[in-house]
Amino acid sequence: MSAITCVRLADLRRVITEAAAWAGVEKFCWDPCGIFMAGCTWFLILWAEKRAWHYVNFENFIDILLFAIFNCVAVLALMCHFKAMCSDPGDVPFRELGAPKLPKIESHEPQWIDGEFVTTCKKCDVLKPYRAHHCSTCNRCVRMMDHHCPWMNNCIGELNHKFFILFCMYIFVLACVALCIVARFLLSCPVRWHKCVLTSAWEPLALMLFLMEILLFGLFTLIMSCDQLCGVAYDTTTLERMKGGGKTKPPSMMENLRRVFGSDADLTWFLPTKPIMQPRQQGADVGAREEELFQSPLPDPGADNTDMQLIEL
């Protein structure tokens, strides 16, 4: 009986793995708080969809157009949230079991290996690239980690930063469109009084809650969008700004935007598509770096890199 149960569990695990791969799930953080917050995000968006449907006048072309825009933006926001939540943010791969322990490389004395500065992470024992950070929630080192977002239930890093920024922008646009829908509903009350009659005690409370959601999350995502775009433009992350560090000689702002949104500046910047990154953004092979560390002397990083300010992450 136990053998049959094990076979069934193995089949179920295989089905879940195949379904997750088909859906594009690269990573999922099993943090109870993060799962709850991510579920609340989807609930609030779907509840806003229900309230917007209630306030739309389907006999008016402008209301229909606003509702269509609202639905399109809501779908894009949910797609961005799913991609930010279930995609790899730039995790540094774990080392193989039984691999020799890495020599200690302090953060204030990084070594130049395979074209980048690296240190050793004290918590997960991997070669941590320059500007990577260890996330205690995910228990992984993440390249260019900006922060761990409970609303996304994932770290925001090098490979999913675009989805997080687009999500914030989409929610702000969604709030603006929803505010227009509610405003048109209230302004039409003198003409469509039969539609504005409060049929239950729940309706005034629902309207107030909807307006609070619009104003609260609209303002919050506007601030987050501006903060994130400024950080990308000046090539700094939230963690680096909190620690007061970062690069001293960043490339141009357009080049920094291309590193997050994709090398081609076109319409795909504003769509939840995976950006086409430069080869170095995808990360080098960690095993090769470890082999170089153990079998060959460390190359001199050279004078061109002595002026870089290396922050302690």
Side-chain angles (χ1 to χ4, degrees):
M1 186 68 180
S2 59
I4 296 176
T5 303
C6 291
V7 171
R8 289 178 178 176
L9 289 176
D11 292 339
L12 179 61
R13 189 180 298 111
R14 178 180 56 81
V15 171
I16 293 176
T17 303
E18 292 178 355
W22 176 83
V25 177
E26 301 173 351
K27 173 188 176 181
F28 188 80
C29 181
W30 295 98
D31 175 39
C33 179
I35 295 174
F36 174 77
M37 297 290 284
C40 288
T41 303
W42 279 67
F43 170 78
L44 289 171
I45 294 176
L46 296 176
W47 185 75
E49 168 76 20
K50 179 179 181 300
R51 299 312 304 173
W53 175 279
H54 179 76
Y55 298 127
V56 167
N57 177 16
F58 288 99
E59 297 175 357
N60 185 282
F61 174 76
I62 297 179
D63 280 17
I64 295 176
L65 180 62
L66 287 173
F67 189 63
I69 296 173
F70 184 92
N71 280 275
C72 292
V73 177
V75 170
L76 291 172
L78 291 175
M79 290 176 62
C80 281
H81 187 276
F82 177 81
K83 286 180 174 291
M85 178 175 62
C86 298
S87 62
D88 177 15
D91 290 341
V92 178
F94 286 125
R95 302 175 63 227
E96 295 182 1
L97 293 176
K101 187 175 180 60
L102 291 172
K104 188 177 181 181
I105 304 176
E106 298 291 345
S107 57
H108 62 277
E109 294 180 352
Q111 301 291 344
W112 184 261
I113 300 175
D114 197 26
E116 64 180 346
F117 281 103
V118 297
T119 61
T120 50
C121 179
K122 301 176 182 178
K123 299 179 180 179
C124 56
D125 191 33
V126 298
L127 286 177
K128 184 171 67 174
Y130 170 58
R131 302 183 76 185
H133 184 78
H134 183 87
C135 175
S136 57
T137 303
C138 298
N139 195 29
R140 299 292 295 269
C141 284
V142 181
R143 288 177 172 268
M144 288 292 293
M145 176 178 170
D146 188 82
H147 66 287
H148 183 91
C149 180
W151 295 97
M152 298 291 173
N153 189 35
N154 199 1
C155 290
I156 305 303
E158 183 180 61
L159 302 182
N160 66 347
H161 204 172
K162 171 187 175 181
F163 303 130
F164 175 74
I165 297 176
L166 286 182
F167 175 79
C168 293
M169 296 171 64
Y170 287 147
I171 294 299
F172 172 68
V173 174
L174 202 65
C176 293
V177 177
L179 190 61
C180 291
I181 291 175
V182 173
R184 288 184 58 82
F185 169 76
L186 295 176
L187 291 174
S188 66
C189 282
V191 180
R192 302 169 58 243
W193 179 248
H194 63 287
K195 294 290 185 180
C196 297
V197 173
L198 302 178
T199 56
S200 67
W202 160 250
E203 288 301 329
L205 179 60
L207 179 59
M208 291 178 60
L209 290 175
F210 189 42
L211 287 173
M212 288 177 59
E213 179 186 2
I214 291 172
L215 297 176
L216 179 63
F217 287 97
L219 181 62
F220 175 73
T221 52
L222 173 61
I223 295 173
M224 284 296 299
S225 298
C226 295
D227 175 74
Q228 291 294 308
L229 287 174
C230 288
V232 170
Y234 289 100
D235 195 21
T236 58
T237 65
T238 299
L239 290 173
E240 290 173 351
R241 293 197 296 274
M242 292 174 62
K243 292 175 178 289
K247 286 187 175 181
T248 58
K249 294 182 179 180
S252 65
M253 289 186 180
M254 183 57 67
E255 181 64 24
N256 293 332
L257 291 172
R258 287 194 177 100
R259 289 180 178 179
V260 173
F261 293 96
S263 57
D264 298 329
D266 52 21
L267 186 62
T268 58
W269 275 25
F270 305 99
L271 296 176
T273 58
K274 193 169 185 178
I276 301 176
M277 312 295 288
Q278 299 296 331
R280 69 180 186 86
Q281 244 87 17
Q282 299 297 335
D285 180 69
V286 173
R289 292 204 302 271
E290 293 178 358
E291 183 179 359
E292 180 181 358
L293 179 61
F294 283 110
Q295 298 182 1
S296 62
L298 296 174
D300 185 1
D304 293 337
N305 300 293
T306 57
D307 61 343
M308 297 181 67
Q309 295 181 354
L310 302 177
I311 65 172
E312 182 177 358
L313 296 178

